[in-house]
Amino acid sequence: MCRLGSVVAVFKYSTFTLYSVSLPPVKLEFSSLTKGESKDCEDIYMKGIMMFLDLEKALKAIESRCNKTTLNFQGSTLEFSEVEKMLKEERFQFEIDIQNSAKQEAVYKALSLNRIRLELLLEWCVWDHRLHSLFSSDCRVTDPKTTDQKYEALAAIKTMKHKEQQDKESAQKDAKWEGVSLERDAVVVSYFDPQRSRSLSAMLSKIEYDKGWWTPFPEIRRKYMKNLLRGHLTRLGSLATHDTETIACELTTDDDGKLHIPLDSDNYIVSDYEDEFSCIIACALALLKNLPVASQDLEAESCSSRNLPVKHKYSVICPYAAQFLHLRERCCRSEVNFIASLSRCRVWDPETNPLFAKTLDDRFIVKEIKTGDFESFLKFAPSYFDYMYQCIDEGKETCLVKVLGIYQVMVRSPKCGEETTHDLVVMENLSFGKTITKKYELKGTLHGRLSSAENGAEGILQDQNFVNDMNLYPIYVAKGAKRKLQRALWNDTTFLNSINVMDYSLFVGMATESNELLCGIIDYLTQYTWDKQLLNWFKSSIVVSQNVLDPVVISPKEYKKRFRKFIDTYVPTILDQN
């Protein structure tokens, strides 16, 4: 306490928390836990068990109708007990596969489950043909070469689910994978013409065992996966021409028509899921991984064209595929890790438009961007790659949240043929593996930057919120940590100014458990175009109320100065304790 005349001043010590500053990591870690994976595993397990139970019931029904225990097979015989043993062995192998998938590294679990799901579909189709042959009056096994003809005749009489099922099958005719066409750095994923695909019976007719549908399933699976690895899809089709219209039928209608693309080996399968754009990108990258990537860049004019012919359900344009691949090789453990992470996602906020989603392992963010931003990136992309390589190779400090891919996804409705185009960017999730209590997006101005969002996991606060919070509950960082942040911001804003970019933001996430401030520059795709220059000229030449002008629309040079000054002013520091 200090007395100065009639005034008394009281000083009181108070505790404070010192935060460290975390910049985007050079090498990305991947999660040990994928959200929703246990539910998917349980769902596949239950579907598989129900399918085998259905098949067991069907075999018992056939056995009770057939007086013979020995079946004729093209001059040879097959004991009915062997059929039952075959089914038991396949069920046992399915349960082993489920157990093994649980032991997989988290990033690969979704791909392993996709493979098991595909194998169930294949297994059901094989058994459907087997049951079809057993349903014949003399219990004689039919030749696979003639099974399709008999099936077509029977299918004309028996419909599985009447009109509803017919509509679904018709919609799925387009929903098959044809492959990929590569034009410069653009990869196009499409579905095939059903007339050009091989039927399952045609595949079996060339198999080394001359047993047709009674070939051991591991050999059928090996042949089928070999065809997939070669880029040839064997047509499975909707079967169920007998009386077992239960969970197995649901399995075929749910999974038939999906893309199923092997990744590196037949142990991992990338599949597409409705309304998950990241998995469509993953399918494209899985195909591109097995093809030579063109060395030349994709020119802005060719990629920005909206008149590309789209004949299939999906088309994916991958600009600068080679350069992004090289960048990911520096940042990710492998390309397979990147594709595996993208194989599943969930929408972060269903109310937001355009799309904003996170991969299930939280590693990446998939965000829809404006057409102008997409085309701007194509123009400055070579400079972006050079700068990122420099930062990574030379250890130069940077706050840029890494953009690891930019894509144009075109989707055509199989029923009405309507096409929609989505320009998407894939970037690292800065809050990966952290519990964030508050999030700020700072642009370096207080005007119009007060968010009414409630504080919470997804509530994004702005500049005025940050200043208010710092006044009430200041966050202190060590002087050395702040200098590290300032150096990174200086490097990045100098670079962004050189490519004529403005309107970027500094993401600041408060991780109170670890006492960290996660900092990274995001949304750095907007260039200072002629329309923004015109608005800036109008603002500087005519006296207009500041309340009706966008504070963001200033030149990149002025934006850079304002951005740096804000961070220097409003991030409290103390001297290093050492």
Side-chain angles (χ1 to χ4, degrees):
M1 182 175 66
C2 178
R3 179 181 296 274
L4 299 175
S6 60
V7 179
V8 178
V10 178
F11 298 93
K12 181 180 180 181
Y13 289 101
S14 62
T15 59
F16 63 89
T17 302
L18 186 65
Y19 279 73
S20 62
V21 174
S22 295
L23 304 181
V26 174
K27 208 73 172 175
L28 301 183
E29 297 294 332
F30 286 80
S31 179
S32 60
L33 177 64
T34 299
K35 296 179 180 179
E37 64 185 16
S38 59
K39 183 179 182 301
D40 288 343
C41 188
E42 292 173 3
D43 181 62
I44 294 172
Y45 177 76
M46 290 305 300
K47 281 187 176 181
I49 294 300
M50 291 302 298
M51 184 192 80
F52 284 109
L53 290 176
D54 292 341
L55 291 173
E56 287 177 11
K57 291 178 182 178
L59 283 180
K60 289 180 180 179
I62 295 172
E63 186 178 19
S64 65
R65 289 170 50 181
C66 182
N67 296 324
K68 300 178 182 180
T69 59
T70 302
L71 309 174
N72 297 323
F73 176 71
Q74 298 176 347
S76 59
T77 58
L78 180 69
E79 297 292 333
F80 202 92
S81 59
E82 294 180 41
V83 178
E84 295 175 323
K85 181 181 178 182
M86 185 180 297
L87 181 61
K88 289 181 181 179
E89 289 176 349
E90 292 179 16
R91 173 174 173 173
F92 177 75
Q93 184 59 49
F94 163 74
E95 293 178 348
I96 292 295
D97 290 343
I98 287 289
Q99 293 174 10
N100 290 338
S101 70
K103 301 175 184 178
Q104 288 277 350
E105 190 176 354
V107 72
Y108 296 121
K109 284 184 180 179
L111 302 183
S112 296
L113 292 177
N114 285 342
R115 173 184 58 79
I116 295 174
R117 185 184 285 109
L118 174 60
E119 288 178 357
L120 279 180
L121 174 61
L122 174 63
E123 202 157 9
W124 165 246
C125 291
V126 170
W127 272 103
D128 188 74
H129 281 87
R130 291 172 177 174
L131 294 178
H132 173 79
S133 63
L134 293 177
F135 265 112
S136 58
S137 57
D138 58 352
C139 293
R140 187 178 295 126
V141 177
T142 59
D143 188 338
K145 296 180 181 179
T146 61
T147 301
D148 281 354
Q149 297 176 354
K150 289 186 177 183
Y151 163 67
E152 289 172 2
L154 185 60
I157 302 173
K158 293 187 177 183
T159 57
M160 193 159 65
K161 290 186 180 179
H162 305 291
K163 187 66 172 63
E164 178 184 354
Q165 180 61 29
Q166 291 175 4
D167 291 341
K168 187 162 189 176
E169 290 176 0
S170 175
Q172 289 178 343
K173 284 184 178 180
D174 288 338
K176 307 289 183 188
W177 165 41
E178 181 178 33
V180 55
S181 61
L182 189 63
E183 187 173 325
R184 295 191 180 182
D185 270 1
V187 59
V188 180
V189 179
S190 56
Y191 285 122
F192 72 71
D193 177 356
Q195 300 303 321
R196 293 170 54 190
S197 63
R198 299 179 58 205
S199 67
L200 191 59
S201 58
M203 183 193 79
L204 289 177
S205 66
K206 297 184 178 181
I207 210 164
E208 58 182 329
Y209 292 91
D210 191 22
K211 294 184 180 180
W213 299 111
W214 299 99
T215 300
F217 182 74
E219 177 61 21
I220 295 177
R221 176 203 176 279
R222 186 194 67 79
K223 185 69 175 179
Y224 182 84
M225 292 299 180
K226 187 176 181 180
N227 283 349
L228 277 185
L229 286 170
R230 290 176 175 175
H232 304 298
L233 179 64
T234 301
R235 192 167 63 248
L236 298 179
S238 299
L239 305 172
T241 58
H242 41 80
D243 298 330
T244 57
E245 298 178 15
T246 53
I247 190 68
C249 296
E250 180 185 339
L251 178 70
T252 59
T253 55
D254 284 349
D255 285 353
D256 190 26
K258 283 183 178 293
L259 284 170
H260 300 295
I261 303 175
L263 182 62
D264 264 5
S265 70
D266 59 9
N267 290 324
Y268 303 129
I269 297 293
V270 183
S271 302
D272 68 313
Y273 291 83
E274 187 176 359
D275 298 329
E276 292 188 22
F277 284 99
S278 71
C279 68
I280 301 175
I281 295 172
C283 288
L285 294 178
L287 289 174
L288 186 59
K289 189 175 185 300
N290 298 321
L291 294 174
V293 179
S295 59
Q296 62 266 44
D297 296 339
L298 180 66
E299 300 295 339
E301 306 88 77
S302 61
C303 189
S304 61
S305 171
R306 299 290 165 163
N307 298 318
L308 292 173
V310 182
K311 298 180 180 179
H312 309 282
K313 187 175 181 182
Y314 298 134
S315 292
V316 182
I317 310 299
C318 306
Y320 296 101
Q323 290 83 349
F324 273 120
L325 177 60
H326 295 156
L327 178 60
R328 292 194 294 267
E329 286 173 348
R330 287 171 163 86
C331 301
C332 302
R333 283 187 294 175
S334 70
E335 182 70 356
V336 174
N337 282 97
F338 181 71
I339 297 173
S341 182
L342 288 180
S343 65
R344 297 301 304 271
C345 76
R346 69 183 184 281
V347 176
W348 200 342
D349 185 356
E351 301 299 324
T352 59
N353 188 23
L355 171 78
F356 197 81
K358 285 196 297 187
T359 55
L360 285 187
D361 62 355
D362 283 347
R363 178 64 277 181
F364 300 105
I365 291 174
V366 181
K367 181 179 179 181
E368 187 166 4
I369 59 177
K370 298 177 182 178
T371 301
D373 291 344
F374 180 84
E375 295 175 350
S376 290
F377 184 86
L378 297 181
K379 295 176 183 177
F380 67 72
S383 299
Y384 167 76
F385 292 118
D386 290 342
Y387 180 71
M388 293 308 301
Y389 295 158
Q390 182 184 12
C391 291
I392 294 172
D393 296 340
E394 300 178 7
K396 191 175 181 179
E397 289 169 335
T398 175
C399 265
L400 289 188
V401 173
K402 288 180 284 295
V403 171
L404 297 172
I406 189 167
Y407 308 94
Q408 187 176 95
V409 178
M410 286 164 280
V411 181
R412 181 176 69 90
S413 170
K415 291 186 177 181
C416 65
E418 181 182 355
E419 298 172 7
T420 58
T421 301
H422 305 270
D423 297 326
L424 304 170
V425 62
V426 176
M427 56 187 178
E428 63 178 311
N429 179 17
L430 194 59
S431 59
F432 170 78
K434 305 291 184 180
T435 301
I436 306 299
T437 54
K438 281 189 178 182
K439 300 176 184 179
Y440 302 91
E441 285 188 10
L442 310 177
K443 290 185 178 292
T445 179
L446 299 181
H447 173 68
R449 298 289 295 168
L450 179 64
S451 174
S452 59
E454 295 182 358
N455 295 348
E458 306 300 336
I460 303 296
L461 304 174
Q462 298 179 354
D463 303 63
Q464 186 66 65
N465 302 95
F466 184 79
V467 172
N468 294 344
D469 290 344
M470 292 304 99
N471 290 333
L472 292 174
Y473 309 104
I475 298 173
Y476 291 96
V477 298
K479 191 172 183 179
K482 184 172 181 179
R483 283 180 177 175
K484 177 182 176 182
L485 175 62
Q486 288 172 322
R487 283 195 299 268
L489 290 177
W490 185 279
N491 294 336
D492 294 336
T493 53
T494 300
F495 163 68
L496 295 174
N497 178 60
S498 71
I499 58 173
N500 212 30
V501 165
M502 35 79 76
D503 198 20
Y504 42 85
S505 304
L506 179 68
F507 173 88
V508 178
M510 289 180 57
T512 53
E513 290 183 0
S514 56
N515 295 331
E516 289 179 273
L517 288 184
L518 309 176
C519 300
I521 293 179
I522 60 175
D523 300 336
Y524 50 87
L525 303 180
T526 303
Q527 286 187 302
Y528 191 54
T529 52
W530 67 267
D531 56 328
K532 293 181 175 64
Q533 294 180 44
L534 181 62
L535 183 55
N536 188 39
W537 172 84
F538 176 76
K539 173 183 175 182
S540 60
S541 303
I542 303 175
V543 179
V544 181
S545 172
Q546 290 293 320
N547 294 327
V548 298
L549 290 174
D550 185 353
V552 172
V553 184
I554 58 177
S555 69
K557 183 177 180 180
E558 294 301 319
Y559 196 95
K560 173 188 68 174
K561 292 180 180 178
R562 188 182 73 182
F563 196 79
R564 292 174 176 175
K565 183 178 179 181
F566 183 91
I567 302 303
D568 291 344
T569 304
Y570 293 108
V571 176
T573 59
I574 63 171
L575 293 176
D576 293 315
Q577 293 180 352
N578 56 358

